[in-house]
Amino acid sequence: MSGVPISLSDLEAMLEGSAESLCHHLFPNGQVRGGFFEIGSIAGEPGRSLKVNLTVGRRGLWTDFADKDAPNGHGDLLWLIAHSRTGGDLRQAAAYARAWLGLDDIDPERLATARAQAKEQRERIDRAREREREKKRRKAIGLWGHATPLPDTPAERYLQGRGIDIRQLGRAPGALRYRPDVWCTEVGAKLPAMVAIVLDITGRQMACHRTYLARRLDGSWGKASLEDPKKALGSFDGGYIPIWKGRHRHPMKDIPEGTAVYVTEGIEDALTVALMRPELRVICAITLGNIGAIELPPQAGPLVIVADRDAPGSKAIDALERSIARQQQRGRRVQLVLPPEGHKDMNEALQRMERAA
């Protein structure tokens, strides 16, 4: 490239303009479906777990839903090149991108033109992404706002089937509601769902989490038979579901000095902790990776992670350790609580206790 430098942001903008072509180049076994380029994994086998967004607002952003909390489980197009072609080396990925874009021998004048075009495209994409984020947030607000309180709904019966009797708490968790008609892209139809509000630290709604439900042959309610029956509408990075306020019924930003915050990955485990220890402040992070993204107010005490008993060396353990390290880097004290020996998670332990009683 005649020694003329080009920034990573310029490269990324140029790649985004040819996102679909790049995906077909990197992964010949992939297919485009409904605004996404889909492939089995970063290794390139046929499948649908890794999805690259091709829509204007999020073009080039990708997630491997089979391993989304791993370092190579999500990113932009430069990282897609890095993980699939250069062993995770971003500098080599940039060189690969320059060659693929035909920029290796570009002269300064042509480079200036390419940069100007990249800057214009980047600004256009940023505006589109912001509009898309706000559109999804407003949809999430609408989905939540028109839902029904939890008591006497299929969502309550679903939780009862998980050994969770919300009436023992004395009041239904306000973060959880029910709707009979939530759109599910996987089946192209509306399904019943338990919906949960996702907040940021200021109390602003970021997203709405959905647990799709289905009635079983015996009349009970369980999770719908989907590839992933739990999804979020809107960005939840750094957000949380406020399951239970505990003894101090303040908003999160106003909790008393030193208040410990208990966090779980899933809603059912969070409700289980609240049932066992109703004096505690309990939140749900939705994913293991997001536990590390949550920023508690400065006066909060330790973050107590109520984790699953995952196998040593598993991807889940790796994701948990990364989240712990991320919180500790902020100076947050982190404690770890595991379910009793022989139980995968707290909710399983609760169910076994009830069966044994």
Side-chain angles (χ1 to χ4, degrees):
M1 207 173 68
S2 304
V4 182
I6 183 168
S7 70
L8 293 182
S9 61
D10 284 347
L11 270 178
E12 181 61 31
M14 294 175 192
L15 290 173
E16 286 170 2
S18 304
E20 185 174 339
S21 296
L22 175 65
C23 289
H24 282 295
H25 169 76
L26 295 175
F27 306 111
N29 291 319
Q31 294 186 18
V32 175
R33 296 185 182 91
F36 291 88
F37 180 90
E38 298 178 337
I39 192 68
S41 74
I42 206 75
E45 75 280 8
R48 303 185 64 178
S49 291
L50 193 153
K51 301 179 188 294
V52 184
N53 203 314
L54 300 177
T55 59
V56 174
R58 295 179 59 80
R59 183 177 294 151
L61 300 181
W62 59 274
T63 300
D64 184 348
F65 287 92
D67 200 14
K68 57 188 174 183
D69 288 331
N72 63 345
H74 59 275
D76 58 23
L77 291 172
L78 274 173
W79 279 113
L80 190 64
I81 293 172
H83 293 310
S84 64
R85 289 291 187 272
T86 66
D89 188 312
L90 193 61
R91 181 174 296 182
Q92 290 183 30
Y96 188 104
R98 287 195 297 269
W100 186 79
L101 289 164
L103 301 178
D104 276 356
D105 299 316
I106 199 166
D107 61 59
E109 186 175 340
R110 284 181 58 213
L111 179 59
T113 300
R115 278 179 170 155
Q117 292 172 343
K119 181 175 184 293
E120 181 181 345
Q121 181 168 313
R122 168 62 69 191
E123 291 172 349
R124 187 168 58 249
I125 289 172
D126 286 346
R127 290 193 298 269
R129 284 180 176 171
E130 183 55 39
R131 288 194 300 269
E132 183 67 17
R133 280 193 292 268
E134 185 59 21
K135 180 181 177 181
K136 286 189 175 182
R137 193 180 79 85
R138 290 185 178 278
K139 283 186 177 180
I141 291 172
L143 177 59
W144 166 255
H146 292 90
T148 303
L150 201 61
D152 301 314
T153 67
E156 182 184 16
R157 291 192 280 280
Y158 158 70
L159 292 174
Q160 288 170 346
R162 299 291 297 265
I164 298 167
D165 183 356
I166 60 170
R167 298 179 187 243
Q168 291 181 14
L169 292 168
R171 54 186 169 85
L176 304 177
R177 293 181 180 178
Y178 170 75
R179 277 194 64 160
D181 56 352
V182 181
W183 180 258
C184 177
T185 303
E186 185 174 329
V187 297
K190 293 180 178 180
L191 299 177
M194 179 172 69
V195 296
I197 193 169
V198 183
L199 304 178
D200 65 16
I201 201 64
T202 70
R204 174 178 178 266
Q205 182 172 354
M206 300 175 65
C208 186
H209 184 270
R210 301 156 290 178
T211 303
Y212 289 104
L213 305 175
R215 194 163 193 169
R216 296 168 175 155
L217 293 176
D218 63 1
S220 64
W221 285 83
K223 286 185 289 189
S225 297
L226 302 171
E227 183 179 342
D228 186 358
K230 297 188 175 188
K231 295 183 181 296
L233 174 61
S235 171
F236 61 86
D237 185 38
Y240 65 94
I241 301 171
I243 295 294
W244 195 246
K245 290 183 177 179
R247 68 165 64 92
H248 302 299
R249 298 187 60 180
H250 303 77
M252 178 69 85
K253 64 184 178 63
D254 298 325
I255 58 175
E257 185 79 28
T259 300
V261 177
Y262 285 67
V263 61
T264 66
E265 179 183 0
I267 291 172
E268 296 80 6
D269 275 346
L271 287 168
T272 300
V273 174
L275 281 170
M276 292 177 168
R277 298 283 302 278
E279 75 277 11
L280 300 179
R281 166 80 53 156
V282 188
I283 64 175
C284 166
I286 304 174
T287 68
L288 282 173
N290 195 47
I291 290 176
I294 296 172
E295 293 194 44
L296 299 179
Q299 77 275 18
L303 180 68
V304 184
I305 302 174
V306 183
D308 294 355
R309 279 195 179 274
D310 293 304
S314 65
K315 293 177 180 178
I317 291 294
D318 290 343
L320 175 62
E321 290 176 347
R322 287 193 297 272
S323 282
I324 291 172
R326 191 172 175 186
Q327 288 289 349
Q328 289 174 334
Q329 286 169 0
R330 294 194 188 101
R332 178 68 56 194
R333 187 156 57 95
V334 178
Q335 298 174 4
L336 190 64
V337 174
L338 294 174
E341 194 74 40
H343 299 83
K344 181 185 183 301
D345 55 39
M346 285 296 185
N347 184 245
E348 181 183 280
L350 174 66
Q351 292 182 67
R352 288 190 184 180
M353 286 168 53
E354 290 190 346
R355 287 195 294 267

